[in-house]
């Protein structure tokens, strides 16, 4: 069994209470401005911005610190077109019969359909993969724990980082998504988690008239 090694906590920074309150409120208000966007501009976004957002996502806590995620950032125009075609094929099947009526009714206020032009228009697609196991230097499998939870947390940090950078995003989950493995050259033990569409919103972009639940509906203090 490996003997753990510990280091002094040198990165923690404590703030005066007033500053803590201000920082918490500022971040909350900033995230309240975040909206999912489906109308994107093709305006270029520098790769360095995407890299820093991914670095932020990579700081997420994970089961046994196994970091069971892999991000594939796509800006190649031809590849984005191929991803769109594959996704729309699955979405056509979904909207044309696979989805139960209750699911379609739940989606109705969002105005979604099988057509996904944003997959081709937005400057970046980030495919997020969940690794069910790792591979050791000797080729043996290393089981990963709490994979879904870990990748979900990393994805949340990525979405927050993208918004904080001044960009818009959309979580897209065509079902099934296994076409991403072959298109992006990822191994079978990595399961597509979702596609994050990233870029600037199109001029005049609109969003659904929907609302978030208030704090008293989503939290209990005891």
């Amino acid at each position: 069994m490996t003997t753990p090694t510990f280091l002094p906590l040198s990165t923690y920074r404590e703030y005066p209470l007033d500053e803590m309150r201000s920082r918490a409120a500022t971040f909350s208000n900033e995230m309240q401005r975040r909206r999912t966007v489906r109308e994107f501009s093709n305006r270029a976004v520098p790769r360095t911005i995407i890299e820093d957002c991914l670095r932020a996502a990579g700081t997420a806590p994970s089961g046994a610190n196994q970091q069971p995620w892999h991000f594939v950032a796509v800006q190649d125009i031809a590849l984005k077109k191929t991803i769109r075609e594959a996704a729309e094929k699955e979405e056509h099947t979904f909207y044309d019969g696979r989805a139960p009526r209750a699911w379609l009714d739940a989606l109705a206020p969002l105005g979604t359909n099988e057509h996904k032009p944003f997959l081709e228009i937005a400057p970046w697609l980030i495919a997020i993969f969940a690794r069910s196991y790792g591979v050791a230097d000797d080729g043996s499998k290393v089981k990963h724990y709490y994979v879904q939870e870990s990748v979900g947390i990393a994805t949340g940090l990525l979405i927050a980082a993208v918004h904080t950078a001044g960009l818009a995003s959309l979580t897209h989950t065509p079902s099934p998504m296994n076409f991403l493995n072959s298109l992006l050259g990822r191994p079978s033990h990595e399961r597509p988690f979702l596609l994050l569409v990233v870029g600037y919103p199109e001029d005049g972009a609109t969003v659904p008239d929907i609302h978030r639940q208030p704090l008293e509906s989503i939290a209990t203090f005891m």
Side-chain angles (χ1 to χ4, degrees):
M1 181 177 294
T2 302
T3 301
T5 301
F6 294 92
L7 300 171
L9 175 61
S10 60
T11 55
Y12 173 73
R13 183 181 301 171
E14 182 176 341
Y15 301 99
L17 278 176
D18 285 347
E19 187 174 352
M20 290 174 67
R21 293 188 181 98
S22 176
R23 290 170 67 91
T26 297
F27 184 74
S28 174
N29 292 334
E30 178 65 26
M31 295 310 296
Q32 291 298 327
R33 292 196 308 104
R34 190 204 64 77
R35 290 298 304 264
T36 293
V37 169
R38 289 179 173 80
E39 298 167 341
F40 284 87
S41 164
N42 63 359
R43 184 176 163 194
V45 172
R47 172 174 164 167
T48 52
I49 294 175
I50 302 302
E51 289 176 345
D52 278 333
C53 290
L54 292 174
R55 288 189 183 97
T59 68
S62 61
N65 191 40
Q66 290 171 322
Q67 304 167 57
W69 45 67
H70 189 84
F71 306 95
V72 180
V74 180
Q75 67 173 158
D76 181 84
I77 294 174
L79 184 52
K80 288 192 298 179
K81 183 176 187 296
T82 302
I83 291 173
R84 175 188 178 180
E85 291 170 349
E88 287 186 336
K89 181 179 178 181
E90 298 296 346
E91 293 289 81
H92 175 75
T93 302
F94 175 84
Y95 283 95
D96 200 41
R98 183 192 299 156
R101 172 48 55 186
W103 195 343
L104 294 177
D105 289 344
L107 290 172
L110 304 180
T112 62
N113 55 46
E114 67 189 76
H115 304 293
K116 310 297 178 183
F118 47 76
L119 293 175
E120 198 171 349
I121 295 172
W124 288 97
L125 304 180
I126 302 176
I128 303 165
F129 290 86
R131 290 174 168 166
S132 58
Y133 62 85
V135 180
D137 292 340
D138 62 3
S140 61
K141 295 181 180 180
V142 179
K143 180 176 172 56
H144 286 168
Y145 301 93
Y146 297 104
V147 174
Q148 294 296 103
E149 295 88 344
S150 301
V151 177
I153 295 169
T155 300
L157 286 180
L158 177 57
I159 292 170
V162 165
H163 172 75
T164 302
L167 298 170
S169 68
L170 164 70
T171 54
H172 180 51
T173 53
S175 180
M177 290 190 285
N178 52 12
F179 63 85
L180 289 173
N181 289 77
S182 58
L183 291 179
L184 302 178
R186 302 312 304 166
S188 60
H189 67 277
E190 292 184 3
R191 189 184 66 81
F193 187 75
L194 61 78
L195 264 175
L196 190 69
V197 185
V198 176
Y200 294 98
E202 183 180 53
D203 289 343
T206 60
V207 294
D209 185 12
I210 55 178
H211 306 280
R212 296 186 172 103
Q213 296 182 54
L215 180 63
E216 56 268 23
S217 296
I218 65 171
T220 300
F221 292 82
M222 303 178 71

